[in-house]
Structures are given as C-alpha cells and as structure tokens.
Amino acid sequence: MIIHPTILAIGACALLLFLHSDHCHNSQRIKRNLANENSILPQLYLLAKQGEQGALLGLTQAAMAQNSQHWLRLAANLGEPNALFELAQLAPSQDSRQVLLERAARLGHPQSSYQLGVLHSNPQVALRHYENAARGGDPRGIVALYNLLVALNRQEDALLWLQQAASWDESAAINYAQSLWLNNDINASVQVLRAAQSKGFGRAQKLLEQVPAISAEAVSQVLANNKQPSCQIKIQFVASSLLALQNIHQLKSEFSQDTRFQGFPICFNAVIAVTPERLQCSDDLSARLQCNLAPLIEQARAADFTHAIVIGEHGKANVHNGVMYLDRQDSYQVFVHELAHFAGFVDEYSLTESLAKSFCQGEAAPNLVFDDARPLWSATHFAAYKSFQPNMALIETDTCSSTKRRAFKPVSQTTFMEHHDLGNIPSLYLKIWLDVLNSPEKLTPIYVNFAQYYEMMGEQDKADTWWQKYADFQS
C-alpha cells in the first residue's frame, strides 16, 4: 500500500494533529490537505482499522474539517468518542442523541457525560453523569456537579468540588471566598476574589471594592482621613461574613439615593469585618438576633462611631441601645424601620407584654403619646408641629394593646412603623425624625450599651468611662 505523505504525518503527530508542535511544524499544511483532498479520508480509515496510532483521531478531525457525517459515523463505529460526540450534536432527535452520548461517555468522554447530565431530569441520574464529567476535568461538569450537590443539600460533598468550580463559575468563586471567610482565612478569601476578578467576574470586582480593612489599626487610619464632624450619628456597619458585605453595600446605596433622607445628619463609616467566631451571633430565625459586644468595644476604641449595625446570618431584626441587628435576608424597608428606632420611634403594632410595659409607661415617643385616655393633641409634643400639619388628630394604635395604657399617633394613615413593607413615612414623621437627630440629648448612642456591658461584667471603672462618653455626647 502506498501511504499518502499526509497520513504519515498524521501517524507521527497523533493527538497534535491540529496543534502547534516542534515535531509537527507542517500541521497547517496538513489541515489544508485534509480539507481539500477527498482521497485522504479513505486512507485514514484503512489505517485506523489497522490500529495505526493517531489515525482514528485524525479521521475524526478530517471528517469534521470536511463536515462529513459519513466518515464521522465510520470513526464512531471504530469507537472514537469525539466522533460520537459530534454526531450527537447533529442527531435528529433527543433519543438518538442520548444513545450516541452514552456510547461516548462509556468511552470516557467527559463532555458527553456533562450533556447526559443536562438531559436527565432525575437528579440522581444527572448526578452520576456530572460526577463522570467532573472527574474527566470538564469545567461545566465540575460546576454542574457542585450546584447539584448544593441543591441536594449535600454540603460536605459539594465543598470537595467548590474550589475547582470556583475557577470556572462566578457564583462558585464567591461561595468559595465566603467559605474561606467564615473559616477566618480572610486573606485567602480575598485572593480567591482577585482571581475571579481577573477572569472578568463583575460581582467579584464589586465585592473586592467592598472588602473592608481587617485590623482596628487600619480602620482607624481610614477614618482619620474621613472625618465627618457634621454628623449627629455616625454608624459603623459590621460584617460577619463576606456575603454580608453585599447586603451592606446595597443598603448604603439605597439610602444614599432615598430622597426622603436628604439633609439627615446620618453618616456611615467604612465597613469593619469581624469574624463569626468572635461575634458569636445567635442563629435562630424565631428569636431576636444578638451578638457579642466585646469586638465592637475593641473597634470603638480605634474608630469614632455613635451607633452600630451588625449583619448576622439569621434572627429577628431589632435595635438595642445604639446597636441594630439585621440578618442577611432583611430588606431595605426593614433597615429603614429599624433606623427609626435609633431616633426613639416605637412600633405601631401590638408589642409583646414585656416590651409594652417598658414603653407604654412613659409619656411619649417621637411618633406616639401614651396615656390612659385620648389626650388633647394640643397637650402633647405634637402641638409644636401645628404649623407643619394644621389638621392634626390623634389616632390610636395597637402598640399598648397588651396593657391598660393606650398609644396614639398624629396621623391617620398606616405608617412604616406598623407595616415596614409599605414603606410609608408621613412627612410629619420625617420632620420629627430630623428634629430628634439634631437633638443629641434625645438619642441613645452605643456608649450606653458598652457601659451596661461592663457593669454586667463587674468592671465599674470601664463602665464609668463609657457613661462619661455618653454624657459628653448629650451635651
């Protein structure tokens, strides 16, 4: 048999047929020959049948170059998985496509395994195919396997593939960075985000822009260059996880664009990261979210802030003496509702008995007055706003329904203090809110929380330091 020179080159070049190689410097010429000389395909087929090294792959690639399904089928019959895969893409029906992909997958073709996983609605069958694709190094198979394991709540198994999936998928990269962050390896987390950024992943870029300084010293340096003396309250966001940074960025962005709060003397410091291990936040959806105050006290010594907002994982949002606790699922409307608590606003829905006893025994809150019977509005602090809202009337709320006292608001409409999701803040409330913010003696900063913390710990000297800071704030 006379062997065509091109075929001899194919035998020598084997898998490098279409690639650059020191031993195959004439590969471009080979490709041209394969595309133009019909006589090559039969000779490649004969060599492939005889077991000539590289001929079977060469036959498949030559058939692809000439778009010849006939020769692809012959290569497929000889067990060439790439030919089977290509024929599957041209199959007229899903059934015939699946048959070809299964043959290729049995021959160890990872791309075929991935496509079989996509075809199967049964998650367990899909999982088996994705595993084969992932073990074969198919990027889409790795990502699909990771996502399916997560969906099946097999978190530990998913973590085994997370690092590899992070190289190909933005969501996986962010989840991997989050996992490292939660395990206190913040530097490694940042490196993962930088690698994702280099691949053009936009969300990773945004997260990198939000990653705060880690140390108190670094935070102090940032704040030293960003003093905000005109602000009545300076809020320190605290992120307990990487994903919490996204929540914080979104909240700050929406607040800055909310025209209702233009001119409000509220400022936000650069975000501080405190690891979950140190914050020790509660994790109960049915209970008020609470965290360890000690890390905040450490940060307060280096950074200047009057209030703090801690983003935890799970729990009911609440405010206590200058600290707001939110979980990552809380919306901007919840944030605004809780922000009003910083100014002393009280909820207008029915409070628990213990909370009602605490609030309703007083005379007033910025948005409410408390009494045994409906008072004259002219005898309340709302009288000062007569010129702002001439037709004022006191409307009873459910705030104190669990006690004998009653609560009254100065507006008739349902407000954001009763249903935060409605987001309705009457103009009178905005006026009252602004006046409270400009009256520091009416505000409760985080210093009260710190002082009470040290009193509970039996360290009165440290408590007195924070009580003095509170007195200075009010003066």
Side-chain angles (χ1 to χ4, degrees):
M1 179 190 302
I2 298 176
I3 300 176
H4 194 285
T6 300
I7 298 174
L8 292 176
I10 291 171
C13 293
L15 297 180
L16 299 174
L17 175 65
F18 291 98
L19 303 176
H20 161 79
S21 170
D22 291 340
H23 301 291
C24 304
H25 58 275
N26 60 342
S27 60
Q28 294 300 319
R29 178 171 56 82
I30 294 171
K31 284 194 292 182
R32 287 195 299 271
N33 290 338
L34 289 174
N36 296 323
E37 297 185 27
N38 293 330
S39 60
I40 295 173
L41 287 163
Q43 296 180 64
L44 279 172
Y45 175 64
L46 291 175
L47 286 173
K49 288 184 66 175
Q50 295 173 11
E52 179 71 30
Q53 185 179 9
L56 185 54
L57 179 59
L59 174 62
T60 298
Q61 295 180 336
M64 290 168 58
Q66 292 195 20
N67 196 26
S68 172
Q69 293 188 44
H70 169 72
W71 292 106
L72 277 175
R73 282 191 290 271
L74 291 177
N77 291 337
L78 293 176
E80 212 296 294
N82 293 289
L84 289 163
F85 180 77
E86 290 300 320
L87 286 173
Q89 311 313 304
L90 304 171
S93 69
Q94 183 167 310
D95 288 343
S96 57
R97 182 186 181 203
Q98 185 170 327
V99 169
L100 291 165
L101 289 173
E102 287 175 348
R103 287 179 60 192
R106 284 194 293 271
L107 293 169
H109 194 259
Q111 292 88 347
S112 294
S113 293
Y114 166 73
Q115 290 197 2
L116 282 171
V118 174
L119 286 176
H120 281 281
S121 58
N122 184 317
Q124 296 303 326
V125 176
L127 185 67
R128 174 169 54 84
H129 289 301
Y130 287 150
E131 286 176 341
N132 291 334
R135 291 193 179 99
D138 182 65
R140 294 180 302 172
I142 293 170
V143 173
L145 175 60
Y146 165 72
N147 288 329
L148 182 54
L149 287 169
V150 170
L152 294 173
N153 203 28
R154 291 174 54 179
Q155 302 295 337
E156 291 187 8
D157 293 332
L159 286 175
L160 297 176
W161 292 99
L162 178 56
Q163 183 174 0
Q164 291 188 55
S167 299
W168 307 100
D169 180 75
E170 181 173 31
S171 294
I174 291 173
N175 287 342
Y176 183 42
Q178 163 77 341
S179 175
L180 291 168
W181 188 292
L182 292 177
N183 283 288
N184 303 321
D185 198 347
I186 294 176
N187 289 330
S189 175
V190 171
Q191 290 303 316
V192 169
L193 289 177
R194 287 175 178 162
Q197 176 195 17
S198 69
K199 294 181 173 68
F201 293 162
R203 287 171 58 203
Q205 168 66 36
K206 290 182 180 178
L207 273 175
L208 276 173
E209 293 170 357
Q210 298 162 34
V211 170
I214 302 306
S215 67
E217 293 78 13
V219 171
S220 179
Q221 182 62 41
V222 169
L223 296 178
N225 297 325
N226 189 31
K227 292 294 184 181
Q228 299 166 315
S230 63
C231 296
Q232 292 297 330
I233 67 173
K234 301 175 185 177
I235 297 176
Q236 180 63 69
F237 271 108
V238 180
S240 64
S241 70
L242 178 61
L243 294 183
L245 293 174
Q246 297 178 88
N247 301 72
I248 293 171
H249 176 75
Q250 183 65 30
L251 293 176
K252 291 172 68 175
S253 176
E254 290 192 51
F255 185 81
S256 68
Q257 297 173 44
D258 195 330
T259 57
R260 296 174 298 182
F261 300 111
Q262 286 183 358
F264 271 46
I266 297 175
C267 299
F268 299 101
N269 287 346
V271 182
I272 291 174
V274 179
T275 60
E277 182 180 37
R278 298 189 63 222
L279 273 178
Q280 298 176 2
C281 293
S282 57
D283 193 21
D284 184 350
L285 284 170
S286 62
R288 287 160 63 91
L289 183 61
Q290 298 292 328
C291 301
N292 177 25
L293 281 179
L296 296 185
I297 297 175
E298 294 174 15
Q299 297 292 349
R301 294 194 185 102
D304 179 23
F305 58 88
T306 63
H307 296 70
I309 301 176
V310 182
I311 308 292
E313 289 299 307
H314 303 104
K316 291 184 177 179
N318 66 95
V319 166
H320 179 66
N321 289 343
V323 182
M324 181 193 302
Y325 298 99
L326 298 173
D327 79 9
R328 290 200 303 103
Q329 285 68 44
D330 284 328
S331 65
Y332 176 69
Q333 287 75 18
V334 172
F335 164 72
V336 170
H337 174 97
E338 299 299 328
L339 195 63
H341 286 318
F342 275 166
F345 280 61
V346 173
D347 294 320
E348 295 172 359
Y349 52 79
S350 180
L351 298 179
T352 63
E353 186 174 354
S354 60
L355 283 176
K357 286 180 179 179
S358 173
F359 287 113
C360 299
Q361 295 308 311
E363 293 184 0
N367 59 318
L368 295 174
V369 292
F370 307 108
D371 210 326
D372 294 332
R374 188 188 310 272
L376 295 173
W377 68 263
S378 58
T380 70
H381 67 287
F382 298 131
Y385 297 94
K386 179 180 179 181
S387 61
F388 187 85
Q389 185 170 305
N391 300 318
M392 189 180 296
L394 295 182
I395 306 299
E396 188 168 1
T397 73
D398 291 332
T399 303
C400 302
S401 60
S402 61
T403 73
K404 294 181 179 180
R405 298 274 282 178
R406 299 167 67 186
F408 302 90
K409 62 184 179 180
V411 295
S412 59
Q413 67 260 50
T414 301
T415 80
F416 76 123
M417 295 310 297
E418 182 177 357
H419 291 293
H420 63 76
D421 50 329
L422 296 180
N424 175 39
I425 309 178
S427 57
L428 176 59
Y429 278 37
L430 290 170
K431 172 62 175 170
I432 294 173
W433 193 345
L434 182 58
D435 288 347
V436 171
L437 291 177
N438 286 316
S439 305
E441 71 278 4
K442 297 179 181 179
L443 298 171
T444 303
I446 198 170
Y447 313 140
V448 173
N449 227 322
F450 294 163
Q452 292 174 341
Y453 171 82
Y454 278 122
E455 286 182 339
M456 183 180 64
M457 300 294 290
E459 300 183 54
Q460 192 59 47
D461 289 346
K462 292 181 179 178
D464 289 342
T465 299
W466 289 107
W467 283 125
Q468 183 59 51
K469 199 167 179 66
Y470 174 44
D472 294 340
F473 173 82
Q474 288 191 309
S475 61

